[in-house]
Amino acid sequence: MIAPLGAPSLPEAIRAGAEVYAALRTRLHEAGHATGLGDEGGFAPDITQPEDALRMIVAAITDAGYTPGRDGIAIALDPAASEFRQKDGTYLVAGEALSSGDMIARYEQIIADFPLWSIEDGLGEDDTAGWQQLTTTLGERIQLVGDDNFVTNPPSSPRPSPTTSPTPH
């Protein structure tokens, strides 16, 4: 995702987003990638290395006439790591099994190489020790969002019936 943090107003942020989106579509098309859209409206090209996708986004930001970074347009990731966390606790990224520590080190390198502002769901929702390490390592440098950790209701948790009233305390 792109985050037009440097935009002076909401209309300018929307315009910047649309211009980068158009530049990315052009760049993907010229590189021979599909420009069909994924479930949430983003492009879904067949790119195996996350860093290659980030390079493409940074190039599109520049193509659209903007500066990559927090004063211009930054990048926010939502890897949804619970989706590629394996039963053995590793993360499968581009065919490689990575530990939580390996994932954090990879994020550190991505932060060093790209104008990253935020990571949402960077580790699996059940990787409590990993999240503690991620927060300690990166929490003061970028925004960390634990959507899967704090919003998702695990299937095993009992849900109150919509017809029952809460118990007063």
Side-chain angles (χ1 to χ4, degrees):
M1 295 177 280
I2 61 164
L5 302 176
S9 66
L10 180 59
E12 289 296 316
I14 292 169
R15 183 179 69 123
E19 290 172 351
V20 171
Y21 191 84
L24 182 57
R25 177 186 300 274
T26 298
R27 189 167 270 279
L28 287 168
H29 178 74
E30 289 174 353
H33 293 291
T35 56
L37 302 179
D39 293 343
E40 295 182 5
F43 295 112
D46 188 19
I47 297 175
T48 56
Q49 291 295 331
E51 292 82 355
D52 292 340
L54 293 170
R55 280 185 204 84
M56 187 80 65
I57 292 169
V58 169
I61 291 168
T62 303
D63 290 349
Y66 295 95
T67 303
R70 290 185 183 208
D71 294 333
I73 298 181
I75 296 174
L77 297 180
D78 182 357
S82 292
E83 298 300 317
F84 55 90
R85 183 164 161 89
Q86 306 301 293
K87 290 181 182 180
D88 67 359
T90 62
Y91 296 89
L92 190 60
V93 179
E96 183 180 3
L98 303 176
S99 68
S100 300
D102 295 335
M103 285 292 295
I104 294 166
R106 190 153 184 181
Y107 290 138
E108 281 187 291
Q109 189 61 53
I110 287 171
I111 290 167
D113 294 342
F114 299 97
L116 204 69
W117 168 67
S118 178
I119 299 176
E120 178 180 337
D121 297 332
L123 295 174
E125 61 191 271
D126 62 341
D127 189 357
T128 304
W131 270 98
Q132 290 171 348
Q133 183 183 358
L134 180 70
T135 302
T136 299
T137 305
L138 302 178
E140 292 189 19
R141 294 166 47 193
I142 63 167
Q143 172 179 275
L144 295 173
V145 180
D147 177 44
D148 286 347
N149 294 41
F150 304 117
V151 178
T152 304
N153 287 321
S156 62
S157 67
R159 294 186 182 184
S161 166
T163 59
T164 59
S165 300
T167 306
H169 293 273

mmCIF file of all heavy atoms in Angstrom, residues 15 17 19 22 62 128 149 157:
data_model
loop_
_atom_site.group_PDB
_atom_site.id
_atom_site.type_symbol
_atom_site.label_atom_id
_atom_site.label_comp_id
_atom_site.label_asym_id
_atom_site.label_seq_id
_atom_site.Cartn_x
_atom_site.Cartn_y
_atom_site.Cartn_z
ATOM 1 N N ARG A 15 -5.408 12.402 -4.927
ATOM 2 C CA ARG A 15 -4.836 12.604 -6.261
ATOM 3 C C ARG A 15 -3.496 11.867 -6.383
ATOM 4 O O ARG A 15 -3.238 11.170 -7.373
ATOM 5 C CB ARG A 15 -4.636 14.091 -6.548
ATOM 6 C CG ARG A 15 -4.114 14.350 -7.967
ATOM 7 C CD ARG A 15 -3.968 15.826 -8.199
ATOM 8 N NE ARG A 15 -2.870 16.302 -7.370
ATOM 9 C CZ ARG A 15 -1.806 16.931 -7.835
ATOM 10 N NH1 ARG A 15 -1.694 17.221 -9.096
ATOM 11 N NH2 ARG A 15 -0.845 17.302 -7.023
ATOM 12 N N GLY A 17 -2.465 9.277 -4.710
ATOM 13 C CA GLY A 17 -2.739 7.838 -4.755
ATOM 14 C C GLY A 17 -3.171 7.389 -6.137
ATOM 15 O O GLY A 17 -2.702 6.361 -6.650
ATOM 16 N N GLU A 19 -2.555 8.880 -8.999
ATOM 17 C CA GLU A 19 -1.451 9.029 -9.955
ATOM 18 C C GLU A 19 -0.420 7.910 -9.805
ATOM 19 O O GLU A 19 0.075 7.382 -10.807
ATOM 20 C CB GLU A 19 -0.810 10.403 -9.801
ATOM 21 C CG GLU A 19 -1.714 11.519 -10.277
ATOM 22 C CD GLU A 19 -1.205 12.917 -9.964
ATOM 23 O OE1 GLU A 19 -0.218 13.065 -9.213
ATOM 24 O OE2 GLU A 19 -1.811 13.869 -10.489
ATOM 25 N N ALA A 22 -1.943 4.705 -11.263
ATOM 26 C CA ALA A 22 -1.869 4.696 -12.728
ATOM 27 C C ALA A 22 -0.435 4.424 -13.196
ATOM 28 O O ALA A 22 -0.222 3.656 -14.149
ATOM 29 C CB ALA A 22 -2.380 6.018 -13.294
ATOM 30 N N THR A 62 8.027 7.454 -8.038
ATOM 31 C CA THR A 62 8.912 8.384 -8.749
ATOM 32 C C THR A 62 8.347 8.724 -10.127
ATOM 33 O O THR A 62 8.334 9.893 -10.528
ATOM 34 C CB THR A 62 10.327 7.774 -8.866
ATOM 35 O OG1 THR A 62 10.794 7.485 -7.546
ATOM 36 C CG2 THR A 62 11.283 8.738 -9.533
ATOM 37 N N THR A 128 3.250 -15.058 19.696
ATOM 38 C CA THR A 128 3.366 -14.058 20.754
ATOM 39 C C THR A 128 4.815 -13.656 21.006
ATOM 40 O O THR A 128 5.126 -12.463 21.088
ATOM 41 C CB THR A 128 2.728 -14.594 22.059
ATOM 42 O OG1 THR A 128 1.369 -14.958 21.773
ATOM 43 C CG2 THR A 128 2.745 -13.538 23.144
ATOM 44 N N ASN A 149 -4.134 -9.938 15.544
ATOM 45 C CA ASN A 149 -3.991 -10.187 16.987
ATOM 46 C C ASN A 149 -5.134 -9.580 17.793
ATOM 47 O O ASN A 149 -5.604 -10.183 18.755
ATOM 48 C CB ASN A 149 -2.697 -9.567 17.520
ATOM 49 C CG ASN A 149 -1.469 -10.197 16.963
ATOM 50 O OD1 ASN A 149 -1.415 -10.489 15.792
ATOM 51 N ND2 ASN A 149 -0.478 -10.387 17.790
ATOM 52 N N SER A 157 -13.247 -19.163 20.445
ATOM 53 C CA SER A 157 -13.765 -18.298 21.514
ATOM 54 C C SER A 157 -15.277 -18.235 21.428
ATOM 55 O O SER A 157 -15.856 -18.121 20.360
ATOM 56 C CB SER A 157 -13.166 -16.892 21.418
ATOM 57 O OG SER A 157 -13.603 -16.239 20.254
#
